[in-house]
Amino acid sequence: MNLFCKKVNIKMKNFIRLLTGSGENCADIRYATAISTPDDFIYFEFNDRKCAILSALEIDRAKQNARPGVEVCQDTSFGGHGRMDIISAISGECRCKKFIVPAAFPLALADKMRAAGMEVVTEEKSFFPEREFKSQEEAAAVTASQRAAEAGFARAVEVLKNSDICNGIIFWQNKELTSEILRAEIDCEILHCGMLPTGTICAGGIQGSQPHNAGSGVLKADSPIVMDIFPRSPATGYWGDLTRTVVKGKASDIVKRAYNAVLEAREYAKNLVKTGAYGASIHCAAEAILEKHHFFTGQNDKGQFGFFHGLGHGVGLEIHEAPRLSPKAKTALKGGEIVTVEPGLYYPEWGGIRLEDIMYLTPSGESICLTKAPDFLEID
Amino acid sequence: MNLFCKKVNIKMKNFIRLLTGSGENCADIRYATAISTPDDFIYFEFNDRKCAILSALEIDRAKQNARPGVEVCQDTSFGGHGRMDIISAISGECRCKKFIVPAAFPLALADKMRAAGMEVVTEEKSFFPEREFKSQEEAAAVTASQRAAEAGFARAVEVLKNSDICNGIIFWQNKELTSEILRAEIDCEILHCGMLPTGTICAGGIQGSQPHNAGSGVLKADSPIVMDIFPRSPATGYWGDLTRTVVKGKASDIVKRAYNAVLEAREYAKNLVKTGAYGASIHCAAEAILEKHHFFTGQNDKGQFGFFHGLGHGVGLEIHEAPRLSPKAKTALKGGEIVTVEPGLYYPEWGGIRLEDIMYLTPSGESICLTKAPDFLEID
């Protein structure tokens, strides 16, 4: 028996697989059950049994929405309200004291289980490795969220087209246009598509040189505005992820050159998203394109500059999930992955450029770009 | 030395207090640092030192935003990128191998720390018990989010006022009004207030009999619509929480009676939010008012009915936090708490009524209602 067989054997036969979390915040429990809740609940698998245990508050809705094959029970018929009571009841019913839990399982609960004589081991890698490989249905769910992101971007472009420039400041509807106003316009469009906006970035000028800066204050003309838009579907839980960078007015030479380098790097890297390709290789290929255009990465007294984040990440029930396209990604793509490709260049002197598309590598090895948003830098 | 002194001593002198989480999803780490990040980072306290350790991607923004007194370090200058490397470096620098972590600390990381010879114990109750007691500044932050919730509700009322009824269906702008459309209107208003909508409930008719049902499909006239609106401030991280129930058209007799009973229960319970009052007593007092009006709680073949959730919960950096106002809440209010008071009645035959205000019990014991939204049932 080799290690792989042994692992499968442990997983399938001798251990109870246990999760605790909310449908909204724990991707694994949502993947297993399709139940979306604001509050935590408990889920376990043992042999062929799959069972979600919820409170009075959630039970009726959970029964309506649960994935076929998942049994839905009320906590009061399963040991009571406390998590330890429920887990003891599970252990008793299954006649098993061995549990496999995810790496992020809450320590205090595990310690209580161990003190009660249960064995608790963590899954070394992901709890549902199959989450990395998306079905056509899952790809359709990501695409639906991506369309909402694109509608949000189109709204931002409309606002910027209808804006005027006065003394280097952008004015919309006779008021200074701020990151906050532009973000609200994007997010409202997303809401009208039936999706949830979740922290849209509209970072102008040097704020754009910090990749996670959400942006605040008045937006300036002739300066790049990074818009990173990642809505989630409340119905399916799947995310979209889109980044575009535009300039209202005229871009400077360095911004134009950086934009073209990032666009070339993105398109080059997208073509490398194929079965058998390594995440690290794709990342490094994009970096090489940026360096070919003399955009280098490093650190000085103003902070970091260049291309200092991973090229991409998986998108599904989490906005950032496996696999990564980064220097540390040492496994090959297998087919089924949905990944972002989002090179960026960031310089504290003038700001940032990031351009992000999503690729779906189908289970049969076809490589499809799920993003339809256009690419352009300047808006008149 | 009594047990309390011993605990304080352990906490202050011999242990490193350790947190890992993202600023957006982990209220404790945000409370400690005021740093808002989408990605996890590490934070520790030892003697008088308070230190947040972040990646390249977050470091510059974290330095700008960190709470005074919190040192901000980059992971590369603190052991490297991996969490275990960083924790080993912390342990080495502090010359201490004992850690206190929160109950939800990730098990796999704790197991690795223990395997490396570190002692890891979980804080039995909350990691920062002081989070339960809000300063005036925190109350102002909750109030700001509450104003956005109220603006969202006002927008919903405006939409319903401007709607028509045709064959028992609500029409707005010549289209059937759905939960989805009404929610988008509420949420857009919240966005324009600079706050984030986070899963607004607009549940009409019998959907409203499930307290966490977000609502979907066409909204009917003469039937209660439960609107539960809980926006979060992206700037401060603090939440608001407001529920109102309205009827477009004419409410039935039973709905009117239920509405009046819930309103009476809420107002009665709000008056009980005082220093020294027990959460359980306040809950039971509200329940007694509902029973006085012959609204009872139970379960039948259609599911649960009556008042089957807790009366209220704390609101702060989490939407649901301590203290609870529920039958299990066995401690007295001390002053400083912000709690919701939200009795509800739910019947699968006709739907639900929930009315929710927020109370601030100031540190000096004054009881202030932070909600300004009006109460009414019918909209013409």
Side-chain angles (χ1 to χ4, degrees):
Chain A
M1 182 189 276
N2 67 25
L3 188 65
F4 181 70
C5 286
K6 197 175 158 200
K7 270 197 179 168
V8 169
N9 195 31
I10 287 176
K11 183 169 160 179
M12 300 307 290
K13 298 227 165 138
N14 298 328
F15 281 74
I16 300 168
R17 286 167 59 77
L18 180 73
L19 286 173
T20 177
S22 76
E24 285 173 11
N25 291 328
C26 171
D28 282 333
I29 214 162
R30 185 154 191 177
Y31 187 78
T33 65
I35 298 170
S36 169
T37 56
D39 295 332
D40 286 3
F41 64 97
I42 280 178
Y43 170 81
F44 75 91
E45 296 179 356
F46 187 65
N47 295 332
D48 292 333
R49 189 173 181 194
K50 297 176 177 191
C51 183
I53 301 162
L54 294 102
S55 75
L57 205 55
E58 305 285 8
I59 189 77
D60 296 329
R61 210 162 49 96
K63 282 183 180 168
Q64 288 165 13
N65 299 339
R67 196 179 292 293
V70 174
E71 189 184 339
V72 176
C73 301
Q74 192 166 331
D75 52 9
T76 44
S77 68
F78 227 109
H81 296 295
R83 289 192 297 190
M84 257 316 280
D85 296 333
I86 294 170
I87 291 167
S88 299
I90 294 170
S91 177
E93 242 184 63
C94 299
R95 298 186 184 187
C96 176
K97 290 186 163 228
K98 296 176 172 182
F99 290 84
I100 291 186
V101 300
F105 192 82
L107 174 62
L109 184 57
D111 280 347
K112 275 187 203 160
M113 291 168 67
R114 287 169 176 170
M118 300 174 195
E119 184 182 339
V120 185
V121 299
T122 54
E123 186 73 68
E124 273 177 44
K125 297 198 171 169
S126 93
F127 202 70
F128 294 115
E130 57 270 37
R131 265 185 52 206
E132 204 167 323
F133 309 102
K134 272 79 174 176
S135 65
Q136 295 286 351
E137 196 187 348
E138 290 178 284
V142 170
T143 304
S145 292
Q146 189 70 352
R147 292 293 165 272
E150 290 161 2
F153 174 63
R155 175 64 186 149
V157 171
E158 191 182 9
V159 167
L160 289 165
K161 275 192 177 156
N162 292 329
S163 296
D164 299 302
I165 300 171
C166 184
N167 293 329
I169 299 292
I170 305 175
F171 281 77
W172 181 59
Q173 297 183 336
N174 302 317
K175 283 196 302 192
E176 290 180 341
L177 182 65
T178 61
S179 291
E180 290 83 352
I181 292 171
L182 190 59
R183 173 161 48 243
E185 291 299 316
I186 293 170
D187 288 353
C188 281
E189 194 64 35
I190 290 169
L191 287 169
H192 283 120
C193 297
M195 303 293 176
L196 287 175
T198 62
T200 301
I201 290 173
C202 288
I206 58 167
Q207 290 177 0
S209 68
Q210 296 172 340
H212 281 176
N213 190 324
S216 60
V218 173
L219 289 165
K220 289 185 184 156
D222 309 325
S223 184
I225 304 170
V226 178
M227 290 183 274
D228 192 340
I229 307 170
F230 37 106
R232 190 179 199 194
S233 163
T236 68
Y238 286 83
W239 299 75
D241 202 353
L242 171 72
T243 309
R244 289 292 183 269
T245 306
V246 299
V247 169
K248 170 73 181 179
K250 295 288 166 204
S252 68
D253 241 35
I254 182 78
V255 168
K256 277 186 196 165
R257 286 204 299 113
Y259 181 89
N260 290 330
V262 171
L263 187 59
E264 185 181 329
R266 191 194 72 194
E267 291 304 301
Y268 189 83
K270 279 163 64 183
N271 278 321
L272 299 179
V273 175
K274 292 202 167 79
T275 307
Y278 287 77
S281 310
I282 304 173
H283 175 98
C284 293
E287 195 172 31
I289 300 278
L290 299 174
E291 288 180 352
K292 183 186 83 177
H293 289 283
H294 309 288
F295 288 103
F296 300 100
T297 300
Q299 186 149 13
N300 61 22
D301 57 345
K302 287 188 185 164
Q304 302 180 95
F305 60 82
F307 175 45
F308 51 84
H309 59 66
L311 178 68
H313 54 81
V315 176
L317 286 169
E318 288 179 283
I319 177 65
H320 296 149
E321 61 180 36
R324 305 278 163 170
L325 305 183
S326 81
K328 283 183 274 181
K330 306 293 189 200
T331 53
L333 297 174
K334 293 182 183 68
E337 294 92 341
I338 294 182
V339 290
T340 68
V341 178
E342 47 176 315
L345 284 172
Y346 309 91
Y347 293 89
E349 293 78 16
W350 55 262
I353 302 281
R354 182 164 68 256
L355 300 173
E356 174 185 34
D357 281 358
I358 291 185
M359 298 298 291
Y360 179 35
L361 183 60
T362 70
S364 61
E366 199 187 348
S367 188
I368 301 169
C369 181
L370 298 182
T371 305
K372 297 228 182 291
D375 285 295
F376 51 83
L377 175 60
E378 291 179 342
I379 297 176
D380 276 342
Chain B
M1 182 188 276
N2 67 27
L3 188 66
F4 180 72
C5 287
K6 197 175 157 197
K7 270 196 177 169
V8 169
N9 194 31
I10 285 176
K11 184 169 158 178
M12 298 309 288
K13 298 228 166 138
N14 299 328
F15 281 74
I16 299 167
R17 286 167 59 78
L18 181 72
L19 285 173
T20 176
S22 75
E24 285 173 11
N25 292 327
C26 172
D28 282 332
I29 214 163
R30 186 154 188 176
Y31 188 78
T33 65
I35 299 171
S36 169
T37 57
D39 295 332
D40 286 3
F41 65 96
I42 281 176
Y43 169 81
F44 75 91
E45 295 179 355
F46 187 66
N47 295 333
D48 293 333
R49 189 174 181 194
K50 297 176 177 189
C51 182
I53 302 163
L54 294 102
S55 75
L57 205 55
E58 305 285 9
I59 190 76
D60 296 330
R61 209 163 51 96
K63 281 183 180 168
Q64 287 165 14
N65 299 338
R67 196 180 292 293
V70 174
E71 189 184 339
V72 176
C73 302
Q74 192 166 332
D75 52 9
T76 45
S77 68
F78 226 108
H81 297 296
R83 289 193 297 190
M84 257 317 280
D85 296 333
I86 294 170
I87 291 167
S88 298
I90 293 169
S91 177
E93 243 185 62
C94 299
R95 296 186 186 186
C96 176
K97 292 187 163 226
K98 295 175 175 184
F99 291 84
I100 292 186
V101 300
F105 192 82
L107 174 61
L109 184 57
D111 280 348
K112 274 186 202 159
M113 291 168 67
R114 286 168 176 172
M118 300 174 194
E119 184 181 341
V120 185
V121 298
T122 54
E123 185 73 67
E124 272 176 47
K125 296 197 172 169
S126 97
F127 202 70
F128 294 115
E130 58 269 37
R131 265 186 51 207
E132 204 167 324
F133 309 102
K134 272 78 174 176
S135 64
Q136 296 286 351
E137 194 186 349
E138 290 179 283
V142 170
T143 304
S145 291
Q146 189 70 351
R147 292 293 166 269
E150 289 162 1
F153 173 63
R155 174 65 186 147
V157 172
E158 190 182 11
V159 166
L160 289 166
K161 276 191 177 158
N162 293 328
S163 296
D164 300 301
I165 299 171
C166 184
N167 293 326
I169 300 294
I170 306 174
F171 281 77
W172 181 59
Q173 296 183 337
N174 302 316
K175 284 196 302 191
E176 290 179 341
L177 182 65
T178 62
S179 291
E180 291 84 351
I181 292 171
L182 190 58
R183 173 161 48 243
E185 290 301 314
I186 293 169
D187 288 354
C188 281
E189 194 65 35
I190 290 169
L191 287 168
H192 283 120
C193 297
M195 302 294 176
L196 287 175
T198 62
T200 301
I201 290 173
C202 287
I206 58 168
Q207 290 178 1
S209 69
Q210 297 172 339
H212 281 176
N213 190 325
S216 59
V218 172
L219 289 165
K220 290 184 183 156
D222 308 326
S223 184
I225 303 170
V226 179
M227 291 183 274
D228 192 340
I229 308 170
F230 38 107
R232 190 179 199 193
S233 163
T236 67
Y238 285 83
W239 298 74
D241 201 354
L242 171 73
T243 308
R244 289 292 183 268
T245 305
V246 299
V247 168
K248 170 71 181 179
K250 294 289 167 204
S252 68
D253 241 34
I254 182 78
V255 167
K256 277 185 197 163
R257 285 204 300 114
Y259 181 89
N260 289 330
V262 171
L263 187 59
E264 184 180 330
R266 191 194 71 196
E267 291 305 300
Y268 189 83
K270 279 162 65 181
N271 278 321
L272 300 178
V273 175
K274 292 201 166 78
T275 307
Y278 286 77
S281 311
I282 303 173
H283 174 99
C284 293
E287 195 172 32
I289 300 277
L290 299 174
E291 289 180 353
K292 184 187 83 178
H293 289 283
H294 309 287
F295 288 104
F296 299 100
T297 300
Q299 185 149 16
N300 61 23
D301 55 346
K302 287 187 185 164
Q304 301 179 99
F305 60 83
F307 175 45
F308 51 83
H309 58 66
L311 178 68
H313 53 82
V315 175
L317 285 169
E318 287 179 283
I319 177 65
H320 296 150
E321 62 179 36
R324 304 277 163 170
L325 305 183
S326 80
K328 285 183 274 181
K330 305 293 188 200
T331 53
L333 297 175
K334 294 182 183 65
E337 295 92 341
I338 294 182
V339 290
T340 69
V341 178
E342 48 176 315
L345 284 171
Y346 310 92
Y347 293 89
E349 292 78 16
W350 55 261
I353 302 282
R354 183 165 65 255
L355 299 173
E356 176 185 33
D357 281 358
I358 292 185
M359 298 298 291
Y360 179 36
L361 184 60
T362 69
S364 61
E366 199 187 349
S367 187
I368 301 169
C369 181
L370 300 182
T371 305
K372 298 229 183 285
D375 285 295
F376 51 84
L377 176 60
E378 291 179 342
I379 297 176
D380 276 343

